[in-house]
Amino acid sequence: MISCRKLFLIIIGFLLYGSDSMFMSAILPIFPLAAQARSISAVWIGLVFASMNVSVFIGSFIWPMVLKPRHYVQAYVFSGFLVGISFFCFGCIIFVENSNLFIALCIATRVLGGISMSLMNACAIPVITKIHPEKSGIIIIAMQTAAYIGVSLGPGAASGLFSIGGYYLPFTTLGVLVMALSFLAWISYSNTNVNVENSTGNGKINRYDFFTFITRPWVIGIALPVFSDGLFAGILMSSLTIYIKEVFFLDESKNYIVYVSYGLSFTIISPIVGIIIDKGFASVLMVVSIITLPLSFFSIIYLESLYLFILALICKAASGGMISSVTILYFIKSAEKCNFENSSHNKLLSTSLFSGTWVFSRALGSSVFGGILLEFLSIKTVWMVGASFTALSSILAILVMKYLSFFTRLYYTT
C-alpha cells in the first residue's frame, strides 16, 4: 500500500512532467498564424519548430554520459525552472517589431526549452520510479499519460488565454505555472529522501558502453517505428494550424478543438496500452500501430469533413501512443541486458534514446518536409510525400524486426 507522502511526491512529479509537455503543444494554435501575419516564410516557421527538437536530440545523447544519480533530483527540478523561463520569454518576444530578430529570439527560446526538456525527460523516470520502485511499470505508463494530458491541455489553454489577452498571455501564464510547480517540487523533494543513488557502481556510463548499446541491431530495429511516428508528427504539426484555417475556417480561438481531440486520444490510449502490454500482447500492439500509422496519414490528406479529419488524427495519435509505450519499455529492458553498473542509468539511457530518436525525426519532418518543401509545394502534396515516406519506413521497420525475431524477443522482455 503506497503511503500518502509517496503519493503526493509522485503527483508533484506528474504535474511537473505534464506541464513541461505543454511547451511543445501550446504554440501550435497560435505561433504559425502570428508568424504568417508578419509575412514570415514557411521555412522559418518550420525551423522554429525544428529548433526545439534538435536541441532535445542533442541533449538526449549528452545527459546519460555526464549526469550522475545523485544529481538527478536537482537536475529534474532545475530543468522545470528553465522550461518555465523559456515559456515566459517566448510570450514576451511578440513585442519585438523586427521580424528577423523576432524569429531569431523564437529559435533561441525554443533551443533553451529543448535543452531543458531533454534534461527533464532524462531524469523524470529515474526520479519518480525511485519513490515507489515496486510499481515502476505502472508509474512509467502513468507518466506517459501525464505527458499526453499536458500535450492535450496546451492548445486549449493557449487558445483560451489568447482570446483574453492576446499572444503574450498564454506563454507568460504557463511559464509562471511551470516555475511555480518547479518550486513546489524543489521544496517537496528537498524535505524527502528521494535518493536515486544505487548501491553498486559509480553511477556513470562510459562512452564505449553507451555507443555499443545504441548501435545494437535490435535497438535500431525498434527505433524505426519511433522515427516514423516522429517524422509524421513533425510534418503534421508544422502545417496543421494553417491547413485547418484554410480548409475548415478555424482561427486561433477555435482550432484548439482539433488539438485537444488529438491530445486526449493520447491520454486515453496510454493506460489502455499499459494494460494490454501487461497481458503479453506488446508485439501485437506494435504491428497494429505500424500499419495504422501511414494509413491514418493518407486518410487525413483526403478527408474533407472536419469530424472525419479529427477521427483520422485520433487514429494517428492512438498509433503513436502504442508505439511510444511499447518502445520505451523495450528500451529499458534492453538497457538492463547491457549490465550497466547503475540500474538507474538504465531508465535514463532508455528515455534519452527514445526522446532523441523521436525528436530527431520530428525535427526532420518540421524543417525539411514542413518547412522547405512548403515553400514550393502545397500542404496536401507535402503531406503525401511525408505519408509515402512514413509508409516505406513502416515497411522497413516490420522487415527489420522480423529479421531480428523481434516478436519473440519483445514478448519475453516486456
Side-chain angles (χ1 to χ4, degrees):
M1 186 69 179
I2 186 171
S3 66
C4 293
R5 181 62 179 171
K6 285 185 176 181
L7 182 62
F8 173 76
L9 293 174
I10 291 172
I11 291 174
I12 291 296
F14 284 175
L15 288 173
L16 184 57
Y17 193 61
S19 62
D20 167 72
S21 301
M22 287 186 180
F23 185 72
M24 186 165 51
S25 64
I27 77 166
L28 294 175
I30 300 173
F31 172 75
L33 298 179
Q36 197 178 47
R38 290 173 175 247
S39 301
I40 295 172
S41 69
V43 173
W44 288 107
I45 294 175
L47 286 174
V48 170
F49 281 100
S51 60
M52 187 198 73
N53 296 319
V54 170
S55 58
V56 172
F57 171 72
I58 294 171
S60 296
F61 287 90
I62 293 176
W63 300 126
M65 292 185 287
V66 299
L67 277 178
K68 292 185 178 181
R70 65 174 177 269
H71 298 143
Y72 285 178
V73 175
Q74 295 92 326
Y76 182 54
V77 175
F78 180 66
S79 65
F81 279 112
L82 289 180
V83 170
I85 291 170
S86 57
F87 238 139
F88 190 91
C89 293
F90 194 84
C92 296
I93 294 171
I94 194 63
F95 298 110
V96 176
E97 295 182 359
N98 185 283
S99 294
N100 294 330
L101 182 59
F102 172 77
I103 282 294
L105 291 174
C106 283
I107 292 175
T109 53
R110 294 291 283 178
V111 167
L112 173 62
I115 293 172
S116 309
M117 287 182 68
S118 68
L119 180 58
M120 178 172 284
N121 291 338
C123 298
I125 287 181
V127 168
I128 300 177
T129 54
K130 196 67 177 180
I131 297 172
H132 195 53
E134 296 82 3
K135 298 293 183 180
S136 59
I138 295 175
I139 289 175
I140 290 172
I141 297 298
M143 288 181 67
Q144 290 286 96
T145 305
Y148 295 145
I149 291 173
V151 169
S152 61
L153 290 178
S159 294
L161 292 170
F162 176 85
S163 62
I164 297 172
Y167 182 93
Y168 77 94
L169 186 61
F171 303 109
T172 53
T173 302
L174 294 175
V176 171
L177 172 64
V178 175
M179 286 188 280
L181 286 172
S182 301
F183 182 72
L184 180 60
W186 175 61
I187 294 175
S188 302
Y189 292 151
S190 297
N191 295 330
T192 309
N193 184 27
V194 182
N195 187 11
V196 191
E197 198 87 58
N198 196 283
S199 58
T200 61
N202 61 12
K204 191 174 183 179
I205 299 176
N206 65 59
R207 288 169 176 78
Y208 174 79
D209 284 341
F210 177 73
F211 287 107
T212 299
F213 171 71
I214 66 175
T215 54
R216 291 192 176 206
W218 60 82
V219 172
I220 296 174
I222 192 67
L224 281 171
V226 180
F227 180 87
S228 237
D229 179 53
L231 183 73
F232 186 164
I235 297 169
L236 195 64
M237 293 307 157
S238 62
S239 53
L240 183 59
T241 300
I242 297 173
Y243 179 81
I244 59 180
K245 183 178 182 179
E246 293 177 352
V247 177
F248 303 115
F249 308 105
L250 298 178
D251 59 14
E252 298 97 324
S253 62
K254 297 178 182 177
N255 59 17
Y256 72 91
I257 298 171
V258 175
Y259 290 109
V260 170
S261 301
Y262 180 74
L264 283 176
S265 55
F266 274 116
T267 306
I268 295 170
I269 197 66
S270 187
I272 296 174
V273 166
I275 295 172
I276 296 174
I277 290 175
D278 191 53
K279 299 295 182 180
F281 295 102
S283 59
V284 177
L285 280 179
M286 184 60 85
V287 174
V288 171
S289 61
I290 290 174
I291 293 173
T292 56
L293 186 64
L295 291 177
S296 60
F297 207 166
F298 282 113
S299 299
I300 289 170
I301 297 170
Y302 294 107
L303 292 173
E304 299 294 337
S305 167
L306 176 60
Y307 298 108
L308 292 177
F309 181 83
I310 292 176
L311 182 61
L313 280 178
I314 290 173
C315 291
K316 183 273 161 193
S319 302
M322 288 188 282
I323 289 173
S324 300
S325 298
V326 175
T327 302
I328 195 167
L329 289 174
Y330 179 76
F331 277 169
I332 290 174
K333 293 296 182 180
S334 296
E336 289 173 353
K337 286 178 175 291
C338 292
N339 298 317
F340 292 132
E341 290 182 334
N342 192 286
S343 64
S344 297
H345 260 68
N346 294 332
K347 297 184 177 69
L348 182 144
L349 175 63
S350 304
T351 51
S352 295
L353 181 57
F354 170 80
S355 299
T357 304
W358 192 76
V359 298
F360 172 75
S361 57
R362 184 163 178 150
L364 180 66
S366 59
S367 59
V368 177
F369 289 96
I372 297 174
L373 290 183
L374 277 174
E375 282 292 292
F376 310 100
L377 304 172
S378 67
I379 292 178
K380 282 196 173 184
T381 304
V382 173
W383 286 5
M384 177 61 73
V385 173
S388 302
F389 195 89
T390 304
L392 290 175
S393 178
S394 297
I395 293 170
L396 181 62
I398 291 177
L399 292 176
V400 170
M401 291 188 296
K402 182 65 176 177
Y403 173 74
L404 295 172
S405 302
F406 163 79
F407 304 113
T408 302
R409 186 187 305 278
L410 185 62
Y411 178 80
Y412 287 112
T413 54
T414 56

